[in-house]
């Protein structure tokens, strides 16, 4: 899933990418203003919008989208802003993951799933407005004055340590969800999200999934009060119209789909619904 | 409607444009990930979003938007992804139209109206993942791994034949709608779309329309069970507030509008409603 | 709030930004086509989308978003298109404000709040399609053929006088709202907008606000039939969950918020609701 070979940033004609997720919506000027702040810094910068349609204050959904982007875009800086505590005592941070992803946003758990899915938190820094270059950020719009400038600087190659002091990674606020847990023969997780096609995405991921997919056959999924035995497939068209299947989606998460219909509606699954998958 | 003189691509400071249409919506990371895949290839590349708010699996609407873009943007590569059969047996293709448009997407009819409105299908190729550079595309996200990289390569000047083998154009799946037919003194077509201003767009286009517009006066439009005699105008303000008019819209299609109100609501027209226009 | 030091445009690696606001929505090709028209002109051009989700024909909301962008992005050209009179007798104009902002769009009041909040109207020109380079703009899509090319030219440094003849600024159509008025000890304005977080933004702005904020304590706001005494704060988290506060938002306007809830719903405020603020 690496979209660009390592070393490309040395080339003259390579874009530096900031992948932006927020709950700003698309009916106000906020998103565009942040874009402008970033691209005004250097014309090699590009902003790609993961989603700004995160429901207001929905850290769970924002974290899921940001993590999905971080997994797929190893060379992008992740800018995430779902920030009910903006301007208050919560910290503004940069997190570097074990696989080298740089994540910028509020310290409220939003960035943690992205870090956990890309090698865990390796280091963290608290952004210092002075060093970011906007000594008095607007207290209601840190995205414009603090997070976007920091993300731009990082995408251009700045060392996180030039933007703020290191902080103890163990003090970072926990994410809204963690990885699924192994409990005996079960993987125990939860529903993260329902997408517009009705697919149900869970936080179950990883090697166990590959083994299941290789094995083929039916898998047992217990979600809430419903127990399903569904085939493990590669893609929606592996089953007939209206038939369910489990698959590993394009970001490595276990998803439950129904071909041509909504798995979420059929089975009544919602974000947060507990999910157990029998793996042996 | 040519936005850029031929030969411009030779200039150093010219953007190469990919015009992107999908049913991915804006609440997940899919669109942004495809943007990143494209712009990471070369910093001369630009992605413009035609629409990603195509209803899930709605090939008709996706095809209309993609065709509208292809007509207006002769120098852009068209990337279209409404792809219920992703990862299955449907082919991934490049189509070149008579006027030289390059269209990338699934072989499910989505690209056909764009081809038909720009000179018809001239040639077609089936994308070969190996030659596109992602030998094992994710079976649920061909947009990221196959279509976007192919569109980027084509925008940078790659020969379609370098990305896959030629296929017989007559084997391409038909579009969700064709051009309107001439039947005696009538042009017979259908409603393609209702826009957010309530205008009703049809697949009736071309020289007959110009003649009608030049002639002026009332035209007879029969849509479903309703017969209308409406003035042929140039723009909405050619009639009084609340008055209907027929016009050739900015993409050359016959549209029915009501100034300051919704023609679709007033007359009950929906996508797919048959439309006949008396032309002599 | 200056995002780029003056003089930067002389540098080779600086983006020229067009900040785009419209009521085109995101389900048709219009926005993307305008993007393509702009970026095809020169690869130093960048389009940032302020909002295209302005309700159809809603000049008030469009003007508010465009003004918000103009305030925050001093180096961007503002392109605004909410244009019910497209193709008719309304003029297509460029307005330059006292602080040097260049605003492009229809002469229907849309651009006036942006001008008034950035030093007032200094000069204005009527766009001449011939000189813009598209002698016969489509009568239903001036954004593509007239406004976007003009905005691109201006962003690249063109003199507005090269695109059309000067017009008497006093003949410009009034904006949908003006600045708040001082009436004795009151600032009298109106509600401009309710954002997705439920904050109520007003057209009350400026030095009086700074004095109030410095003074601290409760302020008296009368909106419609409701009188509120609310604390003046810096940011949402200055008050407890569910508590109201007044603040100067990131664009310098007085806003009324409730932490973690909707001020608009709680107090029944809508765009256009009259608002009075006691300032001494």
């Amino acid at each position: 899933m690496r979209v660009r070979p390592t070393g490309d940033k040395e080339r003259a004609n390579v874009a530096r990418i900031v992948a932006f997720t927020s709950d700003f919506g698309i009916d106000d000027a906020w998103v565009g203003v942040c874009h402008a702040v970033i691209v005004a810094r250097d014309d090699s910068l590009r902003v790609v919008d993961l989603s700004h349609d995160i429901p207001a204050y929905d850290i769970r959904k924002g974290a899921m989208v940001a993590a999905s982007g971080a997994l797929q875009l190893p060379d992008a800086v992740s800018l995430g802003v779902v920030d009910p505590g903006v301007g208050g005592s919560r910290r503004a941070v940069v997190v570097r993951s074990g696989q080298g992803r740089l994540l910028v946003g509020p310290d409220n758990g939003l960035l943690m799933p992205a870090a956990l899915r890309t090698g865990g938190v390796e280091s963290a820094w608290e952004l210092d407005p002075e060093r970011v270059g906007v000594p008095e950020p607007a207290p209601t719009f840190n995205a414009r004055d603090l997070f976007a400038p920091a993300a731009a600087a990082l995408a251009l190659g700045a060392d996180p340590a030039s933007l703020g002091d290191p902080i103890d990674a163990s003090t970072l606020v926990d994410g809204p969800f963690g990885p699924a847990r192994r409990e005996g023969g079960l993987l125990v997780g939860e529903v993260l999200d329902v997408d517009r096609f009705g697919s149900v995405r869970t936080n179950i991921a990883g090697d166990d999934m590959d083994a299941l997919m290789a094995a083929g056959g039916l898998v047992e999924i217990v979600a809430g009060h419903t127990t399903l035995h569904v085939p493990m497939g590669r893609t929606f068209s592996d089953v007939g119209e209206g038939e369910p299947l489990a698959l590993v989606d394009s970001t490595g998460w276990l998803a439950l789909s129904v071909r041509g219909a909504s798995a979420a509606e059929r089975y009544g699954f919602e974000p947060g619904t507990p999910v157990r998958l029998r793996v042996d």
Side-chain angles (χ1 to χ4, degrees), chain A:
Chain A
M1 283 188 290
R2 196 162 187 86
V3 299
R4 193 164 76 191
T6 307
D8 260 358
K9 286 191 184 177
E10 276 36 86
R11 287 167 43 200
N13 64 336
V14 164
R16 277 97 172 157
I17 299 175
V18 174
F20 187 13
T21 305
S22 80
D23 66 347
F24 289 163
I26 58 166
D27 70 344
D28 212 303
W30 299 309
V31 169
V33 167
C34 291
H35 274 239
V37 164
I38 293 169
V39 301
R41 288 284 286 258
D42 190 281
D43 77 345
S44 67
L45 290 166
R46 299 290 181 278
V47 187
V48 302
D49 296 308
L50 297 184
S51 177
H52 301 291
D53 203 35
I54 306 299
Y57 310 136
D58 188 342
I59 293 174
R60 168 193 292 274
K61 170 84 181 185
M64 191 281 293
V65 168
S68 174
L71 262 169
Q72 298 176 78
L73 304 172
D75 292 309
V77 170
S78 178
L79 169 62
V81 189
V82 177
D83 193 12
V86 60
S89 59
R90 68 95 189 94
R91 297 180 293 192
V93 296
V94 178
V95 173
R96 185 163 61 202
S97 78
Q99 294 172 21
R101 301 297 190 286
L102 291 169
L103 316 164
V104 181
D107 175 24
N108 61 13
L110 179 70
L111 310 175
M112 296 305 271
L116 294 175
R117 292 231 49 208
T118 61
V121 176
E122 185 217 71
S123 313
W125 297 262
E126 180 172 2
L127 289 172
D128 173 350
E130 192 84 42
R131 282 186 261 173
V132 171
V134 184
E136 296 185 30
T140 57
F141 200 6
N142 279 195
R144 177 189 69 192
D145 296 343
L146 200 50
F147 297 130
L154 293 169
L156 290 169
D159 185 330
S162 70
L163 303 174
D165 289 328
I167 54 177
D168 179 351
S170 73
T171 66
L172 291 170
V173 172
D174 282 342
F177 56 87
R181 307 181 305 281
R182 183 77 182 243
E183 294 186 1
L186 298 173
L187 281 174
V188 177
E190 62 186 281
V191 172
L192 296 184
D193 181 50
V194 174
D195 73 24
R196 79 182 326 227
F197 302 98
S199 285
V200 172
R201 189 179 294 165
T202 75
N203 65 336
I204 298 176
D207 296 343
D208 295 303
M209 300 298 306
D210 295 335
L212 274 182
M213 216 162 93
L218 298 182
V219 293
E220 181 183 308
I221 297 178
V222 182
H225 299 286
T226 306
T227 299
L228 301 169
H229 293 88
V230 294
M232 193 85 200
R234 286 173 60 261
T235 188
F236 316 107
S237 52
D238 285 353
V239 295
E241 199 72 16
E243 295 293 319
L245 84 160
L247 53 75
V248 178
D249 78 3
S250 54
T251 52
W253 268 310
L254 175 75
L256 179 70
S257 294
V258 172
R259 183 174 178 183
S262 169
E265 278 182 26
R266 180 175 301 177
Y267 301 115
F269 298 165
E270 296 179 347
T273 300
V275 176
R276 287 177 293 155
L277 175 73
R278 184 169 303 282
V279 287
D280 56 40

